């Protein structure tokens, strides 16, 4: 039986981690912030729905499309985003995804009607579909197995925190 492509890619890299200890913190911060931004955006629009409906004189159907267009594009394209990251480079697809997501967020803020907002939210979903799989893959390849578990499991701030005694 052949190994899955992710496992083969990870094993082909070798034991050396491609970044130094100082840049690992920045890599972790950037990838977690970008992923958080993508996942939070899928639900945060619910808070603004009454304002969106009032200012755009939107129907219930319009408002539903504002919410769901993001999720439809993210869900439909996330596997393609991971595949593009494998083909063209995880870092490149991550950066392209962040740029698309940021531009689409500006488009959401500048939208003058519900149709523009729906299109901008769809483009946000496309950007998120590119950045989410890239962020997870970047973390996997930037940290060795031991430090990856330490960084993601407890984080550097929590290791020094008094909460560590309570939580762990």
């Amino acid at each position: 039986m052949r190994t899955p492509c992710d496992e083969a890619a990870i094993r082909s890299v070798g034991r050396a981690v491609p970044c130094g200890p100082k840049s690992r913190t920045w890599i972790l911060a950037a990838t977690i912030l970008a992923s958080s931004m993508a996942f939070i955006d899928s639900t945060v629009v619910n808070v603004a729905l009454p304002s969106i409906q009032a200012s755009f004189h939107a129907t219930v159907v319009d408002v539903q499309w504002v919410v769901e267009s993001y999720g439809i594009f993210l869900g439909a394209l996330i596997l393609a985003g991971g595949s593009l990251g494998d083909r063209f480079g995880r870092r490149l697809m991550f950066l392209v995804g962040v740029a698309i997501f940021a531009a689409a967020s500006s488009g959401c803020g500048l939208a003058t009607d519900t149709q523009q907002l729906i299109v901008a939210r769809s483009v946000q979903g496309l950007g998120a579909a590119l950045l989410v799989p890239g962020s997870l893959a970047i973390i996997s390849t930037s940290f060795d197995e031991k430090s990856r578990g330490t960084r993601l499991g407890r984080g550097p701030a929590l290791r020094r925190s008094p909460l560590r005694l309570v939580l762990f």
Side-chain angles (χ1 to χ4, degrees), residues 5 15 25-26 28 30-31 36 38 42 47 54 57 92 95-96 100 106 108 113-114 121 138 153 155 159:
C5 59
R15 297 222 182 256
T25 303
W26 291 108
L28 189 63
T31 54
S36 299
S42 65
V47 175
H57 305 290
L92 175 65
L95 293 174
V96 167
I100 290 171
S106 296
C108 288
D113 62 7
T114 54
R121 292 275 298 160
I138 288 169
R159 282 195 300 261

Side-chain angles (χ1 to χ4, degrees), residues 73-139:
F73 275 79
L74 173 61
L77 298 174
I78 196 163
L79 293 177
S83 180
L84 288 171
D86 290 341
R87 179 172 292 260
F88 298 111
R90 295 174 180 112
R91 182 177 182 264
L92 175 65
M93 286 298 108
F94 175 77
L95 293 174
V96 167
V98 169
I100 290 171
F101 191 90
S105 295
S106 296
C108 288
L110 297 172
T112 58
D113 62 7
T114 54
Q115 287 75 27
Q116 289 177 0
L117 186 58
I118 291 167
V119 169
R121 292 275 298 160
S122 299
V123 175
Q124 270 187 323
L126 167 69
L130 294 176
L131 75 88
V132 169
S135 66
L136 299 174
I138 288 169
I139 290 172

Side-chain angles (χ1 to χ4, degrees), residues 13-95:
V13 172
R15 297 222 182 256
V17 178
C19 62
K22 190 172 184 177
S23 61
R24 288 183 195 160
T25 303
W26 291 108
I27 290 170
L28 189 63
T31 54
I32 288 175
L33 284 174
S35 292
S36 299
M37 179 177 62
F39 288 118
I40 289 171
D41 202 74
S42 65
T43 58
V44 76
V45 75
N46 293 327
V47 175
L49 287 180
S51 297
I52 291 170
Q53 192 169 19
S55 63
F56 290 144
H57 305 290
T59 65
V60 174
V61 173
D62 291 336
V63 171
Q64 186 172 2
W65 273 108
V66 168
V67 173
E68 297 301 327
S69 60
Y70 179 85
I72 289 170
F73 275 79
L74 173 61
L77 298 174
I78 196 163
L79 293 177
S83 180
L84 288 171
D86 290 341
R87 179 172 292 260
F88 298 111
R90 295 174 180 112
R91 182 177 182 264
L92 175 65
M93 286 298 108
F94 175 77
L95 293 174

